[in-house]
Amino acid sequence: MHSKLLLKIAHLGISGDLLGWINSYLTDRQQCTVINGICFPFRPVLSGVPQGSVLGPLFFIIFMNDLPIFLKSKFSSRHPSLKLFADDLKTYYIVNSLYDALYFQSFLNSIYDWCVQWQLSLNVAKCELLHLGKSNFLFNYGLNGLLLPSPTRARDLGVLIDSSLNFTDHISSIVSKARSHCSVFLKSFVSRDIHIMKKFFVIYVRPILENVSEVWNPISQKDINSLENVQRYFSNKIPSCSFLPYRQRLALLSLDSLQHRRATSDITCIYSLITGGLNAVFTAHLVHIPPSITRGHNLKICPPSLHYSHSDQNIISRTAASWNSLPHSVLDSTNRSSFRKKVSQYLTDPFH
């Protein structure tokens, strides 16, 4: 394994003393197991990289980096899309016929063959298949002779995704987790100091309710209220805020509503997409409206025309109207941080 990693590192143009240093860093290592103070004999480490090291993730990326190139050389330009993140791999493909299903299965087989060739263990038991769309043929696929399970929902980088791309289950999950964090504080701490409780919520609860909200930000009032009620509930437990209207509680705590913060994050994400600050391919979905003599800026985007109302939950449909209404004073921001601050001030908070 180490020799193959060194081969790929050398292929990147790294040579000489630096390559020798990397070779020395990886080889001739030993490790042992210690249980209850008893040290077992040392054994040579024949593969892998030192755990917890800074270089470990970099070496793994280098080792995995040629997988897309391998697949592109083997398949045509219409090969399934492939996404890599650390040791996580995702691939997806539109299947409209049995031929498409067989093509996708051959693509999966090639991924497995590459892993075998490079002695990279693929945990088939943790691989899942998520069928999307109501008209999906629900074909079965496998790896190494094992049938891949096809649950109705799957967790991807902390986000729960279901077969209809409805994020209600994910929202219910994070709301439950956030409420449990609130309960831990209320049961474990005597203090009800306003500053301590606010800091606890902002640091330990709010991030749970906002993690990658650009992906799942809801448009249904039921889900919006479900999220907002967590902040509404916890702020009401602060003695100086108890029984005050929610609007006054937010003003007293100098907090924005969660809905307002998600809307700000959405528009800031669009800003990053358009300015190139976010490494994501959305160009095909950002249809700009041609410049005109009417009022407004010339960076307006046209929301996609979709068949189903629930499809409007995508970030472009959610933000098109707000983005198109932004004044030049906001769009003239020189960086993302400045833009987010101006957008937050410009947008109306529905709870303030």
Side-chain angles (χ1 to χ4, degrees), residues 188-320:
S188 304
F189 294 88
V190 176
S191 174
R192 293 294 182 267
D193 179 79
I194 184 173
H195 301 293
I196 293 176
M197 294 188 70
K198 176 186 174 180
K199 183 171 290 188
F200 174 83
F201 185 85
V202 169
I203 296 176
Y204 294 105
V205 179
R206 196 168 67 183
I208 299 173
L209 300 169
E210 295 183 340
N211 183 38
V212 292
S213 64
E214 298 85 355
V215 174
W216 51 263
N217 189 4
I219 57 175
S220 74
Q221 196 60 46
K222 179 182 177 181
D223 290 335
I224 291 172
N225 290 338
S226 178
L227 290 159
E228 201 67 44
N229 283 343
V230 180
Q231 182 165 268
R232 192 191 302 269
Y233 163 78
F234 193 77
S235 62
N236 193 49
K237 295 297 182 180
I238 301 175
S240 56
C241 296
S242 295
F243 306 112
L244 289 176
Y246 185 49
R247 186 186 308 272
Q248 293 183 25
R249 275 181 262 155
L250 293 179
L252 181 62
L253 295 168
S254 299
L255 291 176
D256 293 324
S257 70
L258 298 180
Q259 184 179 358
H260 179 265
R261 288 178 57 83
R262 292 195 304 274
T264 302
S265 295
D266 277 353
I267 298 182
T268 305
C269 181
I270 295 295
Y271 171 83
S272 297
L273 287 170
I274 292 178
T275 58
L278 187 62
N279 185 20
V281 182
F282 266 67
T283 307
H285 305 285
L286 291 171
V287 181
H288 292 272
I289 299 175
S292 67
I293 60 174
T294 59
R295 288 187 299 174
H297 58 83
N298 292 329
L299 291 175
K300 295 182 179 180
I301 57 177
C302 181
S305 178
L306 303 169
H307 297 292
Y308 303 104
S309 59
H310 67 267
S311 301
D312 289 333
Q313 187 171 344
N314 72 83
I315 187 171
I316 298 177
S317 296
R318 288 197 313 262
T319 59

Side-chain angles (χ1 to χ4, degrees), residues 46-338:
L46 302 178
S47 63
V49 296
Q51 297 299 303
S53 64
V54 175
L55 291 175
L58 175 62
F59 288 151
F60 186 84
I61 291 172
I62 292 174
F63 197 84
M64 290 284 295
N65 202 43
D66 66 325
L67 175 57
I69 299 174
F70 168 80
L71 294 171
K72 285 181 180 179
S73 66
K74 196 169 183 179
F75 293 85
S76 64
S77 58
R78 57 182 289 272
H79 64 82
S81 298
L82 191 71
K83 304 296 181 183
L84 300 175
F85 182 82
D87 62 345
D88 188 44
L89 182 151
K90 287 177 286 293
T91 181
Y92 47 92
Y93 191 59
I94 299 176
V95 175
N96 292 319
S97 64
L98 178 60
Y99 173 80
D100 291 337
L102 294 173
Y103 185 82
F104 186 55
Q105 179 61 64
S106 65
F107 186 80
L108 296 178
N109 293 339
S110 296
I111 293 176
Y112 184 81
D113 292 341
W114 181 90
C115 292
V116 172
Q117 176 184 343
W118 290 99
Q119 295 178 278
L120 192 64
S121 178
L122 182 63
N123 193 340
V124 180
K126 290 187 177 180
C127 296
E128 292 182 334
L129 175 72
L130 183 64
H131 293 288
L132 301 177
K134 294 182 178 179
S135 59
N136 199 297
F137 290 100
L138 304 180
F139 289 111
N140 290 324
Y141 302 88
L143 280 175
N144 192 31
L146 297 176
L147 182 67
L148 290 177
S150 52
T152 57
R153 58 184 187 176
R155 191 171 295 279
D156 181 24
L157 300 178
V159 179
L160 198 60
I161 303 174
D162 64 17
S163 56
S164 61
L165 294 181
N166 184 321
F167 294 98
T168 296
D169 287 344
H170 172 73
I171 291 170
S172 298
S173 174
I174 61 175
V175 164
S176 176
K177 185 177 181 181
R179 282 188 174 275
S180 68
H181 278 55
C182 293
S183 298
V184 168
F185 179 89
L186 296 173
K187 292 178 181 179
S188 304
F189 294 88
V190 176
S191 174
R192 293 294 182 267
D193 179 79
I194 184 173
H195 301 293
I196 293 176
M197 294 188 70
K198 176 186 174 180
K199 183 171 290 188
F200 174 83
F201 185 85
V202 169
I203 296 176
Y204 294 105
V205 179
R206 196 168 67 183
I208 299 173
L209 300 169
E210 295 183 340
N211 183 38
V212 292
S213 64
E214 298 85 355
V215 174
W216 51 263
N217 189 4
I219 57 175
S220 74
Q221 196 60 46
K222 179 182 177 181
D223 290 335
I224 291 172
N225 290 338
S226 178
L227 290 159
E228 201 67 44
N229 283 343
V230 180
Q231 182 165 268
R232 192 191 302 269
Y233 163 78
F234 193 77
S235 62
N236 193 49
K237 295 297 182 180
I238 301 175
S240 56
C241 296
S242 295
F243 306 112
L244 289 176
Y246 185 49
R247 186 186 308 272
Q248 293 183 25
R249 275 181 262 155
L250 293 179
L252 181 62
L253 295 168
S254 299
L255 291 176
D256 293 324
S257 70
L258 298 180
Q259 184 179 358
H260 179 265
R261 288 178 57 83
R262 292 195 304 274
T264 302
S265 295
D266 277 353
I267 298 182
T268 305
C269 181
I270 295 295
Y271 171 83
S272 297
L273 287 170
I274 292 178
T275 58
L278 187 62
N279 185 20
V281 182
F282 266 67
T283 307
H285 305 285
L286 291 171
V287 181
H288 292 272
I289 299 175
S292 67
I293 60 174
T294 59
R295 288 187 299 174
H297 58 83
N298 292 329
L299 291 175
K300 295 182 179 180
I301 57 177
C302 181
S305 178
L306 303 169
H307 297 292
Y308 303 104
S309 59
H310 67 267
S311 301
D312 289 333
Q313 187 171 344
N314 72 83
I315 187 171
I316 298 177
S317 296
R318 288 197 313 262
T319 59
S322 298
W323 171 269
N324 293 341
S325 69
L326 292 178
H328 288 285
S329 59
V330 175
L331 290 171
D332 288 342
S333 304
T334 56
N335 55 63
R336 185 178 183 275
S337 177
S338 173

Side-chain angles (χ1 to χ4, degrees), residues 32-42:
C32 72
T33 303
V34 179
I35 301 178
N36 294 329
I38 301 176
C39 181
F40 289 81
F42 279 84

